[in-house]
Amino acid sequence: MESVAFVRLRAPYMHRYSGFHPRIKSYSFLGRQYCNTALTLASTVPARARELTCNAGSKMEPIYNDANAEFSFEDWLSNPWDVGIMLDDLDKFCSDNAVMYYQILVEVRWLLKLSEIPEVKEVPTFSQETRAFLENIIQDFNEDEALEVKKKQQTNYDLKAVVYYLKQKCDGHSEVLEVLDFSHSMCTSEDINNLAYGLLIKDTINHVMFPVMANLCKALCAMARNNAHIAMLSHSHGQASGTTLGIEMATFAFRLGYWARRISQVPIFGNFAGVVGKYNAYKFAYRDIDWPHVAQEFVTSFGLQFNPCTTQIESHYHMVELSDILVNFNNVLVEFTDEVRRYISLGYFEQMMKEENESYTMLYKLDPFDFANSSCDLVTAKSCLSTIKKFIFTAHMKVDLTDIQVTRFGLAPSLMAYKKFLLVIEKIEVNESRLAEDLEKNWVVLAEVIQTVMERYNLPEQHEKLKELTSGIYVDKERISSFIENLDLPKEEKLYLLNLTPLSYIGEAENLAKLIDEALGSLLVFKIN
């Protein structure tokens, strides 16, 4: 990408959301769309945000000049929160170049498939050299080749340009050139695109999203193991009992692992049935061929699931399911982010941040902007995924391009949030003394175990006595000890209760936290097959 200028978003809190708005001059689409989302949010508030816009072409241009808004490209890249860096991996699979690659892949493989069907005499069986030649077109596709396709495009999604590009690549190879038109024979653009987008989504999830999601789970597992022994006051529904910081982290790790595993179980469907999905042209041209069987073989050869009953438009219900599960994964992470921010406010966690996060009026305070930033990205992702999911249910009657939009609009802010979270989670440390201080103030948590022992030995008026001990009265160590001393219990049980403290009353929490990797097991192996 060439050197560019940047415009800072002028809207309340937008600096926490997206940083800088790049005037992107690359043909890559993903970064522009992510920034468009930021601008859309900014447009809902007054002031300078409304002075920002971009044209509908391939470049984004600010409509005003501000000397303070000029930054070097190198300075921007040095920022670890840079949108470009965060989305670089996703851009490899979701850019316009990637779409072209998968379209070419399907076109070439369909021609090769036809050459293997004896009844299609117009496309003879290719020699090994010819097959290798066609496969090399796929393997050698790069940015320079993508620019060649771009030169032939009349619209953003002109699949005909891919056919023209293939003719150019096959010029001089007579065996292929004579039958190249069959690469798009009988099928529609939707036949090509639904397989191309299915492969794009599958590869994006497997190679971009899953590695980061796995790293998130592993980071929380590490926090669980490292803090398995650190006792804390449970805040799940009031000061209910003692727990450990490790098991609290392990709970979130398991929940994230569960939803990530669910994503890997979603089948990605595809079809290849022509106009209205009924093989009309196929059957008329070649009556003796079992086209549904051929289509099934072709679709499954890409590792996709075959959908035998569609209109021209594949139903894309896998996108609905993926969107739902991603929203659930993100909801867990939003809850965890809120939990961390609450722990920061309680003093349980301390931020190892730079002065850039200092409060303006309270210089002793570090605002958790980074966690708020991640949460905002996750909320944006949820909104995008939920909206497009609703649209997919009505998309079977129109040419559909929602697959790539879901990938760009839904996955981009999710990936941003995951990567930001991995950065900021390394910048917090546990304040063990603060955790112990809260436990020392809450000896009342031992009321649970005292009542359980009283029940075991069938002491009278268990509930009433504990209520009298704890209701509306501050319970300290002396009050608890005095109550235990007056219980009619065996000496050993009484001694055990007297030696118990809020710090030691954690049950199996420490052991459970240390076993989180074993508990997750195969949940950490993510892949859509």
Side-chain angles (χ1 to χ4, degrees):
M1 185 186 296
E2 58 189 296
S3 181
V4 296
F6 299 92
V7 179
R8 187 183 295 275
L9 292 174
R10 301 302 180 89
Y13 303 104
M14 287 305 297
H15 65 288
R16 303 182 188 180
Y17 173 70
S18 61
F20 299 109
H21 168 49
R23 198 176 71 211
I24 297 177
K25 296 186 178 181
S26 167
Y27 48 78
S28 173
F29 184 77
L30 183 58
R32 298 200 307 274
Q33 293 299 342
Y34 186 77
C35 291
N36 275 339
T37 304
L39 284 177
T40 301
L41 293 177
S43 67
T44 62
V45 294
R48 295 280 283 177
R50 292 184 178 176
E51 298 182 15
L52 292 176
T53 187
C54 65
N55 59 35
S58 61
K59 301 176 182 178
M60 300 178 68
E61 301 289 346
I63 62 173
Y64 74 94
N65 292 319
D66 186 343
N68 294 326
E70 297 296 326
F71 298 88
S72 71
F73 187 54
E74 291 73 16
D75 289 342
W76 192 53
L77 288 180
S78 66
N79 177 12
W81 301 96
D82 160 29
V83 174
I85 293 176
M86 290 286 184
L87 299 182
D88 183 59
D89 293 339
L90 193 61
D91 202 49
K92 295 174 183 176
F93 290 91
C94 301
S95 66
D96 292 346
N97 294 5
V99 174
M100 295 173 203
Y101 167 79
Y102 288 109
Q103 288 172 333
I104 291 170
L105 171 65
V106 177
E107 291 268 6
V108 170
R109 292 285 171 79
W110 178 236
L111 182 62
L112 289 171
K113 180 65 177 177
L114 291 176
S115 74
E116 298 170 356
I117 303 175
E119 292 84 353
V120 184
K121 302 184 185 301
E122 292 77 8
V123 185
T125 303
F126 291 138
S127 65
Q128 287 296 100
E129 292 76 10
T130 299
R131 295 182 69 88
F133 171 77
L134 289 171
E135 289 290 346
N136 285 336
I137 293 178
I138 301 170
Q139 299 299 325
D140 296 340
F141 190 78
N142 54 32
E143 291 186 2
D144 293 334
E145 300 297 322
L147 288 175
E148 292 298 317
V149 179
K150 278 282 187 178
K151 293 176 183 178
K152 298 171 173 58
Q153 281 186 339
Q154 297 178 358
T155 66
N156 284 339
Y157 295 96
D158 186 1
L159 191 58
K160 195 67 177 176
V162 171
V163 177
Y164 291 148
Y165 166 78
L166 290 174
K167 287 185 177 181
Q168 175 183 309
K169 295 296 292 184
C170 296
D171 188 23
H173 199 294
S174 58
E175 184 180 0
V176 176
L177 197 58
E178 291 175 1
V179 298
L180 189 59
D181 285 339
F182 279 85
S183 67
H184 207 75
S185 176
M186 299 176 286
C187 59
T188 67
S189 295
E190 170 60 18
D191 288 329
I192 302 296
N193 282 335
N194 90 92
L195 297 186
Y197 294 154
L199 290 170
L200 180 151
I201 291 164
K202 181 179 178 180
D203 287 345
T204 300
I205 296 292
N206 282 340
H207 300 295
V208 179
M209 301 302 293
F210 276 160
V212 182
M213 295 167 85
N215 286 339
L216 273 174
C217 293
K218 291 174 182 177
L220 294 187
C221 286
M223 290 185 70
R225 292 191 306 271
N226 296 338
N227 300 291
H229 64 288
I230 300 178
M232 68 176 291
L233 192 65
S234 174
H235 290 273
S236 58
H237 51 286
Q239 289 78 17
S241 187
T243 183
T244 69
L245 182 59
I247 196 61
E248 297 295 303
M249 302 297 104
T251 301
F252 282 102
F254 190 87
R255 292 166 63 188
L256 289 176
Y258 170 80
W259 287 116
R261 182 66 172 173
R262 283 286 304 277
I263 292 175
S264 68
Q265 297 168 350
V266 175
I268 308 296
F269 284 97
N271 78 317
F272 208 81
V275 178
V276 305
K278 303 302 179 286
Y279 307 96
N280 297 21
Y282 296 80
K283 192 65 178 177
F284 182 82
Y286 300 94
R287 300 173 182 81
D288 298 329
I289 299 177
D290 184 357
W291 285 112
H293 179 69
V294 171
Q296 181 176 4
E297 286 185 338
F298 185 60
V299 171
T300 56
S301 70
F302 293 106
L304 303 177
Q305 298 289 320
F306 179 63
N307 186 343
C309 299
T310 70
T311 61
Q312 177 179 341
I313 309 302
E314 205 283 319
S315 59
H316 304 301
Y317 282 175
H318 56 270
M319 295 306 306
V320 174
E321 192 171 1
L322 281 173
S323 298
D324 271 338
I325 298 174
L326 271 173
V327 166
N328 291 335
F329 183 94
N330 290 351
N331 282 343
V332 174
L333 198 56
V334 167
E335 184 183 349
F336 181 76
T337 302
D338 291 342
E339 191 85 348
V340 170
R341 292 170 67 182
R342 186 156 63 95
Y343 287 169
I344 290 173
S345 68
L346 291 171
Y348 296 169
F349 286 162
E350 294 180 349
Q351 299 180 93
M352 297 180 290
M353 303 293 187
K354 298 179 180 179
E355 294 181 355
E356 60 195 22
N357 280 26
E358 283 183 352
S359 170
Y360 183 76
T361 56
M362 295 173 284
L363 298 180
Y364 55 85
K365 183 170 76 77
L366 291 176
D367 290 323
F369 286 159
D370 300 326
F371 292 101
N373 203 335
S374 299
S375 294
C376 189
D377 286 324
L378 292 171
V379 171
T380 301
K382 178 180 180 179
S383 178
C384 294
L385 291 168
S386 299
T387 301
I388 296 177
K389 181 189 74 173
K390 295 176 182 178
F391 174 78
I392 288 175
F393 278 107
T394 62
H396 65 285
M397 294 297 290
K398 56 179 77 77
V399 175
D400 185 64
L401 296 172
T402 53
D403 295 55
I404 191 62
Q405 301 305 332
V406 166
T407 305
R408 287 167 169 168
F409 289 103
L411 298 188
S414 296
L415 184 64
M416 286 279 291
Y418 304 161
K419 290 191 173 183
K420 289 176 183 178
F421 188 83
L422 285 170
L423 287 175
V424 300
I425 203 173
E426 298 177 353
K427 299 179 181 179
I428 59 175
E429 59 182 13
V430 180
N431 186 345
E432 294 189 44
S433 61
R434 180 69 184 86
L435 290 166
E437 178 186 343
D438 261 9
L439 279 171
E440 186 62 30
K441 294 178 180 178
N442 285 275
W443 280 79
V444 69
V445 300
L446 298 184
E448 178 193 24
V449 65
I450 294 173
Q451 182 175 357
T452 303
V453 174
M454 291 174 68
E455 290 172 350
R456 176 187 174 188
Y457 288 96
N458 199 26
L459 299 186
E461 299 180 336
Q462 306 149 10
H463 177 77
E464 291 73 13
K465 291 181 178 179
L466 263 298
K467 184 176 180 181
E468 182 182 351
L469 171 70
T470 60
S471 295
I473 302 174
Y474 175 70
V475 180
D476 56 13
K477 179 179 179 180
E478 288 70 23
R479 186 174 178 81
I480 286 286
S481 298
S482 176
F483 183 85
I484 295 172
E485 289 284 5
N486 293 324
L487 292 176
D488 185 16
L489 291 173
K491 183 177 180 180
E492 305 79 37
E493 290 294 338
K494 188 177 292 187
L495 183 61
Y496 177 80
L497 289 176
L498 288 171
N499 289 331
L500 201 59
T501 69
L503 276 170
S504 61
Y505 183 52
I506 58 174
E508 293 288 339
E510 181 175 355
N511 294 330
L512 291 173
K514 290 179 178 178
L515 295 174
I516 180 58
D517 293 298
E518 181 180 333
L520 277 171
S522 61
L523 291 182
L524 284 177
V525 182
F526 311 138
K527 185 177 182 182
I528 297 180
N529 296 316

